[in-house]
Amino acid sequence: MAQNDTVTVLKLNDGSCMPAIGLGTFAPAGSAQKGDCAKAIKYAIEVGYRHFDGAFSYENEDEVGEALREKITDGTVKREDIFYTGKLWCTYLRPELVRKGLEESLKSLQFDYIDLFIIHWPVPLQPGDDLYPKNESGELYDNVDLLATWEALETCKDAGLVKSIGVSNFNARQLGKILNKPGLKYKPVCNQVECHPYLKQEKLLEFCKSNDIVLVAYCPIGSSRHPNWTDQSTPVVLMDPQLSSIAEKYSRTVAQIALRYLLQRGIAVIPKSFNLGRIKENFQVFDFTLAEEDMNLINNIPIKTRYINMFTNYPDCPFLDEY
């Protein structure tokens, strides 16, 4: 990690730098009021956040863009200070639709470029207006060669519409297909996956590091536990007794311990909160270090659980492999 003013950053394999902590902007339907996301973003910028993680499928990029542009207009930050991650949704994975999917986000954000654009899931869905096209049998999957999707993303990078390109929710085998692609022009700079003390991703992290790819953790302090994709009987990271004990030792919150644990492993983190107090707390993780003995205690927490279980009936669902 390198120090960039007051924000710790990770160097990407294409030479760009990613702030190691970002604010997630996903809000499940009914969980937030209109304006909550914008308020959170503007406050986060005042606190020191410069990395913001969004997606077309979150259906709030207009609000995200408006908040970011407001802080640019009032002189708090410049556009080049902001690192925005967007995601190519599953209904745009056909190579001829990739640029259209990107342009939908650019239009909502009212940006000229996106800093990092990643394939949201290695799961092609039938193109159309529905985010989750279905029939009576379930999701309507599409047949797409993701190597062709990647080539289309490379073209978007060459066109200056994105600065960096990467993936999300890929397992090592799926990521390896891109890395071994004949004529590969740009390696993925990152793989954004669920990662927290209950899903440590040791083997995937090792694979990514060996290929100079940054692992980015979503749900780094656990999940909002939305019933659509989370088994409500799963244990809660923030209630873990081992993490609570370590938090007490350092006079920190359990969330701060969980985030610091990932950061010390070289993982970028994107905690999501619209609570202003927690937004500030989650950013206060660069002024202490977990001792090796405490890192090992967290390493040895035996619980292993995944909160986000989506597309599990897709034949090449990334979660079917060990890592």
Side-chain angles (χ1 to χ4, degrees):
M1 291 189 190
Q3 194 72 20
N4 177 12
D5 297 327
T6 57
V7 180
T8 304
V9 300
L10 293 167
K11 189 78 173 282
L12 304 179
N13 63 40
D14 64 358
S16 298
C17 289
M18 170 196 285
I21 183 166
L23 182 73
T25 62
F26 174 63
S31 69
Q33 301 294 318
K34 179 72 174 174
D36 286 354
C37 179
K39 183 179 178 182
I41 288 170
K42 288 185 279 190
Y43 180 73
I45 288 175
E46 296 291 345
V47 170
Y49 287 81
R50 295 295 181 265
H51 180 179
F52 297 89
D53 182 87
F56 172 81
S57 67
Y58 299 171
E59 300 185 280
N60 62 356
E61 283 189 308
D62 53 345
E63 187 176 344
V64 171
E66 186 177 351
L68 292 173
R69 294 194 318 276
E70 184 176 320
K71 300 309 288 181
I72 292 168
T73 301
D74 73 12
T76 306
V77 290
K78 298 184 178 74
R79 171 64 184 94
E80 56 266 30
D81 298 329
I82 297 297
F83 187 97
Y84 181 77
T85 298
K87 303 184 187 78
L88 180 69
W89 184 238
C90 304
T91 53
Y92 289 95
L93 294 188
R94 291 185 185 181
E96 66 272 17
L97 295 178
V98 168
R99 180 160 176 157
K100 182 184 177 189
L102 168 58
E103 287 173 342
E104 291 284 355
S105 286
L106 288 170
K107 180 181 174 184
S108 294
L109 294 160
Q110 294 184 40
F111 280 176
D112 295 326
Y113 68 90
I114 287 177
D115 300 271
L116 172 61
F117 199 57
I118 61 182
I119 298 175
H120 204 152
W121 289 86
V123 180
L125 293 173
Q126 288 283 343
D129 294 333
D130 291 339
L131 283 176
Y132 298 93
K134 293 181 180 179
N135 61 17
E136 59 279 357
S137 303
E139 279 92 0
L140 289 170
Y141 296 115
D142 199 14
N143 184 23
V144 176
D145 178 1
L146 293 179
L147 297 185
T149 306
W150 187 256
E151 286 182 3
L153 275 177
E154 291 178 323
T155 302
C156 291
K157 176 175 165 67
D158 284 337
L161 298 176
V162 295
K163 291 190 177 293
S164 300
I165 52 178
V167 300
S168 179
N169 295 303
F170 276 53
N171 60 37
R173 176 180 53 80
Q174 293 165 330
L175 194 48
K177 285 183 179 179
I178 293 178
L179 294 173
N180 295 319
K181 173 188 170 297
L184 180 69
K185 192 166 187 180
Y186 304 115
K187 285 169 58 169
V189 299
C190 73
N191 186 16
Q192 185 185 124
V193 297
E194 180 180 345
C195 185
H196 44 72
Y198 286 177
L199 189 64
K200 301 178 187 72
Q201 300 281 18
E202 300 99 324
K203 290 184 178 180
L204 186 58
L205 175 62
E206 184 180 341
F207 177 83
C208 286
K209 282 186 173 182
S210 71
N211 286 285
D212 197 17
I213 293 169
V214 171
L215 197 75
V216 181
Y218 68 74
C219 298
I221 54 178
S223 163
S224 58
R225 306 174 67 79
H226 195 284
N228 283 8
W229 52 75
T230 302
D231 180 347
Q232 298 301 292
S233 68
T234 51
V236 181
V237 169
L238 294 179
M239 294 175 65
D240 184 84
Q242 185 69 266
L243 293 174
S244 298
S245 174
I246 295 171
E248 191 174 334
K249 172 182 173 180
Y250 288 87
S251 300
R252 297 284 174 160
T253 67
V254 174
Q256 287 172 329
I257 298 301
L259 293 170
R260 185 69 210 177
Y261 167 71
L262 297 175
L263 289 166
Q264 282 183 218
R265 296 168 67 208
I267 299 170
V269 295
I270 42 172
K272 179 264 162 180
S273 180
F274 290 169
N275 177 291
L276 302 190
R278 286 196 285 271
I279 289 171
K280 185 174 183 178
E281 277 183 358
N282 290 345
F283 197 72
Q284 296 171 333
V285 288
F286 298 118
D287 59 348
F288 74 103
T289 303
L290 293 175
E292 187 177 351
E293 65 190 51
D294 295 314
M295 290 292 289
N296 287 334
L297 284 172
I298 301 173
N299 284 335
N300 291 323
I301 291 175
I303 298 169
K304 183 173 181 180
T305 191
R306 183 184 299 279
Y307 292 115
I308 309 301
N309 288 290
M310 293 176 64
F311 306 121
T312 51
N313 63 345
Y314 179 61
D316 198 22
C317 173
F319 308 148
L320 296 177
D321 291 21
E322 182 193 353
Y323 67 96

